[in-house]
Every structure is written in C-alpha cells, then in structure tokens.
Amino acid sequence: MLIKDILNSQAQKNLTVCGWIKTKRESKSLTFIMLNDGSSIKDLQLVVNHSVIDTNVLDQINTGASLEVIGNLVCGSHGLEMEVVEIKSFAPAVDYPIQPKKHSMEFLRNISHLRMRTTTFQSVFRVRNAISFAIHKFFQENDFIYVNTPIISANDAEGAGDLFTVTTLEAGDKDFKNDFFGRHANLTVSGQLEGETTIFGFNKVYTFGPTFRAENSNTARHLAEFWMIEPEMAFYDIVDNMNLAEKFLKFVYQYVKEHCKNELEFLDARCQREKGESLINKLQLAFEKDFTRVTYTEAINILKDCEYNKNGVFSYKIDEWGCDLQTEHERYLTEKYFNGPVIVTDYPAEIKAFYMKQNPDKKTVAAMDILLPGIGEIVGGSQREENLDILLDVMKKRNIDPTSLQWYLDTRKFGSVVHSGFGLGLERLVIFMTGMDNIRDVILYPRTPGRIA
C-alpha cells in the first residue's frame, strides 16, 4: 500500500510498504524509522522490536536506505504506526548527504538530484504539479485548444535579444546560409507569435512549454530555461484579456488550496518560522478579492509622489512619464500602496513590444501587467494590433524586417479580428504559492550561468 492510503486507513495486519528512510533512532529494545514513499509529504513511523528483527540487519539500515517491510498497522500514541514483522529487502545508502538536520538551500541546490527527498522540496513540487494540472484544467474547461509551438524558432517575439543560437556550423563560422535551417535559428523565448496564428482556426488556444533566455544574470529571479503559459484568444479585447487572466489565477489558487492542504500547511509553518509571515494568509489576501486596476499614468503619479521616491529609497528614481517600472516599483504598488494584486494598463508604446495594440492617444498601447506582492510582474499581456498598416508602420520604425515575419503578417491580411493574449511564467507563480525565495528552488534542475549539471 502507498503511505498516503495507509495514513487514511484503519488498523490492519500484514501490510507491505516500500520506501526510503527519512530518520532512524534507537532505544534499548526498539528502533523507530520514519519511512516515506513519495506518495505523501507525511511519513509512516515503523516500530521495529529487536526481539523480532535481528539487530545485525538493523545496523545496516541507515538514512536514505530503501526498504520493503511487512507489518501490522496499529494506533500508537502519535497516530497510526506500523509494527514491523519482516524486512524483506533493502538497499543501503552509503555516505548519504541529506541527514535529519537543517540544510541550507545552496547546499541542496548542489545536490539537485537528491533534494526531492526532503519534505520542503516534496511540498514545493507537489504544489507545482497541482498548479500545472490546474492550468490545463482551467483552459480545457473554458474551450481552449492546447497547441505545441516550436522550441526552435527564427524570431525573437519580445525583441529582447539574449537568445541561445541553434546551429550545426563549426565554431567561428557565422554564415548561417550554410547552416541547417539556412538562416539564424534560436531556442524560443515565447510561443506567442506562432500561437496567434492558430486562433484563426481554433478561436482560443494556449501553449504550455519551455522557453529560453541567454541573459547572463545570476539573480534569484532569473533562469535560462523556464516554463511559460501563453493563451491567445480571438474576439477578446484588453478588458476581456484582464478578466480572463484574473479568473485564471484565482482558479489555479482554489485548485491548489483544495488539493494541497498538507503541503500548504507545511510551507506555511516554514514561512512563519523563517520569515515571520503566514503563506496561507498571504494567498488568501491576494486571491480572495478583486484585483485593483490602474493605468500606467496613475501608477507613475503614485510612485513619483511617494516617500520612497522622494527620499531616495528606490534604486531607480521615478522622474518622468515613460520610464519602465522596475520590480521595486511594482512591489511598492502591491505591498505598500494597494496591499494586494494590481493590474497596470496602458503602458507607453515605446517600452512595449511591436505587436501591441495602439491606443487612440498614439502614445500608449493596450497592454496589461498583473503584479503580485513579493514578486512583481507575474502576467504580461496585451490586445494585439490587428491592423496591418499600423503594424507595418511600427515594424518600420523599429527596424523589424517584415519579410522575416510574413507568415505572421498574413494573419492581418486574411480575416483579421480583435484578439488578445498574455503570458505567465510558471516558476514565478510557484514561488508565490509556496513562499520560496529563489526561482532555482522551484524547478527540478535549474539552468543558470555556469550551471548545467
């Protein structure tokens, strides 16, 4: 039986359970073993009587070892526990590095292949699993089609550079006409542009896959490989887009709340112990009320007039309209001013991507970012520019060659419609919902500058 089922059952005899030792402690006549099989973050206590199991066998069992045991489930002083009758097989763990003590996050990052055996990381990745399932569930239940956009691409959707080149050329050869694809190719930074083309056949679609940035940044917020969710919707304007994104985030939260009770309670206790704050309360405050909506102009005025800006607390001073918001500004809005999630709309056109819908003022675009406390931007989206002439004009001003994106421009020639979409970084959402501090601790094997193992 799985431990998760055993812990929800009644006392019974002759059960077989398999797992790995979390802890082992001995008394004069008994050995107590905490066993975990990965089915739950909770462990099953094994009580081994030295008169039943040879102590020579027990001497070879240590933390990290794998066991198959037969025993009787009884109600002990601390709940259900198993009185071991037979240890059928086990494999020892020699010099196992994870011992029953507190380990630093950096230590555990250096043994990423083993850290899943800790309760913290079991909890984090169970929440990540639930979030991923809820994402598919939400979109499938709202008539979206799941599409798989290319991982190898020839475009930089965001215009941000920092691309990983995909090539078969020898080192030093830069003539991409001789390369496998006959032109420069890169790992995708976004599936949005390809996703947009599919809505004219399916109406509403979403992508969910890995994306890549070659940004040489060693921070707690950046990865070279991360996962993105990117829905695109025909006949949706910017307001429809915002409404969907808010509904989506709240749905995912409710699913995690209902299906990860044990994990959230464990992570909440961890946050209270290490940060002095409640994770569960933070999630409730964020997702159980309406998100505040402000324009970029309103946000800039709030930031310009705040004491943080006037007294030089901000590293990036807000002087004038048109500057991009930094994480510190986004966190001030969510944590100090509005005390909750904020949707900022109508950003200056100059600081946003070429494909965003121009507003009538010709200065701003129909863009929206959702900001969360402690995180900053979690969602970025916009209404897409459906007018071919306007789109071509913006591309010309930004020196974007239209011939390389003719396939994308065709969607504006053949039955163009109002449409919108957004992108959400999975890892940032996992950080927020688990209370973790570093993005490297919410992905299985983090890829960062200098780290590939």
Side-chain angles (χ1 to χ4, degrees):
M1 287 183 68
L2 294 176
I3 287 176
K4 74 178 182 68
D5 297 324
I6 290 175
L7 295 175
N8 290 319
S9 65
Q10 303 295 321
Q12 50 189 303
K13 293 184 177 182
N14 294 320
L15 289 181
T16 300
V17 62
C18 302
W20 298 269
I21 296 177
K22 279 283 193 73
T23 63
K24 173 190 171 187
R25 60 185 177 87
E26 296 179 335
S27 67
K28 186 176 181 180
S29 59
L30 299 172
T31 294
F32 299 92
I33 294 171
M34 300 304 291
L35 197 73
N36 188 278
D37 67 355
S39 66
S40 169
I41 65 168
K42 293 188 175 182
D43 307 320
L44 174 65
Q45 177 163 279
L46 309 180
V47 181
V48 186
N49 194 310
H50 296 171
S51 65
V52 177
I53 303 297
D54 192 332
T55 54
N56 290 327
V57 173
L58 294 174
D59 288 342
Q60 299 177 60
I61 296 174
N62 45 22
T63 302
S66 57
L67 301 180
E68 181 182 350
V69 299
I70 297 174
N72 302 319
L73 197 62
V74 299
C75 291
S77 58
H78 299 289
L80 288 173
E81 59 187 26
M82 178 179 281
E83 293 180 345
V84 175
V85 174
E86 181 181 353
I87 296 179
K88 294 185 66 176
S89 65
F90 68 91
V94 180
D95 297 327
Y96 181 62
I98 301 177
Q99 294 300 309
K101 64 178 183 179
K102 182 177 176 61
H103 294 288
S104 71
M105 289 292 109
E106 186 57 34
F107 172 80
L108 293 171
R109 286 178 208 128
N110 289 322
I111 50 170
S112 294
H113 57 296
L114 298 175
R115 63 180 179 169
M116 291 306 127
R117 302 192 190 191
T118 68
T119 307
T120 295
F121 283 95
Q122 285 181 333
S123 298
V124 167
F125 282 88
R126 285 185 172 280
V127 171
R128 180 180 172 124
N129 170 70
I131 289 172
S132 298
F133 183 84
I135 288 166
H136 284 292
K137 183 176 175 64
F138 174 83
F139 287 118
Q140 292 294 324
E141 291 180 354
N142 283 277
D143 300 314
F144 281 73
I145 297 294
Y146 175 42
V147 295
N148 304 113
T149 52
I151 289 177
I152 300 176
S153 178
N155 67 75
D156 175 7
E158 300 298 321
D162 300 321
L163 306 175
F164 284 106
T165 295
V166 177
T167 182
T168 59
L169 296 176
E170 296 292 332
D173 188 352
K174 298 296 184 181
D175 188 355
F176 292 108
K177 291 180 181 179
N178 300 324
D179 206 353
F180 186 89
F181 295 106
R183 59 184 294 194
H184 181 264
N186 54 269
L187 294 179
T188 185
V189 298
S190 169
Q192 179 207 312
L193 300 188
E194 292 89 350
E196 271 190 68
T197 67
T198 65
I199 64 172
F200 296 89
F202 295 120
N203 193 286
K204 295 188 293 187
V205 305
Y206 71 104
T207 72
F208 188 175
T211 52
F212 308 86
R213 290 281 173 88
E215 183 178 354
N216 189 17
S217 181
N218 260 310
T219 75
R221 290 168 48 88
H222 290 91
L223 289 169
E225 178 185 37
F226 53 97
W227 285 67
M228 286 284 290
I229 300 93
E230 297 177 292
E232 294 288 329
M233 299 78 64
F235 310 108
Y236 270 54
D237 63 16
I238 187 63
V239 176
D240 298 323
N241 199 22
M242 289 188 286
N243 292 343
L244 180 78
E246 181 172 348
K247 179 182 176 183
F248 163 65
L249 284 173
K250 290 179 176 179
F251 177 92
V252 173
Y253 158 69
Q254 286 295 336
Y255 185 89
V256 172
K257 179 182 176 182
E258 292 171 13
H259 292 84
C260 295
K261 186 174 183 293
N262 290 336
E263 290 80 4
L264 289 179
E265 287 178 351
F266 173 83
L267 293 168
D268 180 78
R270 179 181 181 275
C271 284
Q272 293 199 48
R273 184 173 62 251
E274 299 191 1
K275 302 180 184 180
E277 63 182 28
S278 169
L279 171 65
I280 291 174
N281 288 347
K282 181 189 76 171
L283 295 177
Q284 289 174 341
L285 286 171
F287 293 121
E288 295 184 4
K289 65 178 182 180
D290 292 339
F291 293 1
T292 300
R293 301 185 182 190
V294 297
T295 65
Y296 167 88
T297 300
E298 291 169 334
I300 284 294
N301 289 335
I302 291 170
L303 293 167
K304 279 177 65 176
D305 294 338
C306 77
E307 294 301 315
Y308 277 50
N309 195 54
K310 292 177 179 178
N311 296 334
V313 177
F314 287 147
S315 299
Y316 297 88
K317 185 175 176 62
I318 299 290
D319 289 320
E320 58 185 18
W321 189 94
C323 62
D324 206 354
L325 297 183
Q326 304 297 320
T327 301
E328 61 180 346
H329 307 137
E330 296 168 344
R331 291 189 60 178
Y332 177 87
L333 292 171
T334 56
E335 297 169 33
K336 303 297 182 183
Y337 196 86
F338 291 110
N339 194 31
V342 178
I343 306 180
V344 180
T345 65
D346 302 313
Y347 281 83
E350 295 300 320
I351 63 173
K352 288 296 184 180
F354 76 95
Y355 52 73
M356 295 187 178
K357 175 72 176 177
Q358 285 196 16
N359 285 328
D361 61 13
K362 302 294 180 65
K363 292 172 51 182
T364 62
V365 288
M368 66 93 178
D369 287 346
I370 298 182
L371 317 179
L372 290 182
I375 296 291
E377 180 192 341
I378 191 76
V379 168
S382 72
Q383 184 175 327
R384 315 313 191 187
E385 181 56 73
E386 78 277 8
N387 185 292
L388 178 60
D389 292 335
I390 294 176
L391 193 58
L392 285 170
D393 184 58
V394 173
M395 292 174 71
K396 181 179 179 181
K397 291 177 180 177
R398 300 196 182 190
N399 296 315
I400 300 173
D401 181 10
T403 59
S404 65
L405 288 172
Q406 191 56 54
W407 56 271
Y408 179 72
L409 297 174
D410 277 352
T411 61
R412 273 64 174 178
K413 293 169 60 179
F414 309 127
S416 184
V417 297
V418 170
H419 61 288
S420 298
F422 62 83
L424 174 139
L426 174 64
E427 283 74 24
R428 288 193 180 182
L429 184 57
V430 178
I431 283 178
F432 187 73
M433 289 201 177
T434 60
M436 301 300 283
D437 295 317
N438 195 312
I439 199 167
R440 303 175 192 196
D441 297 327
V442 298
I443 192 168
L444 199 60
Y445 288 98
R447 301 312 193 203
T448 55
R451 184 190 293 261
I452 188 67

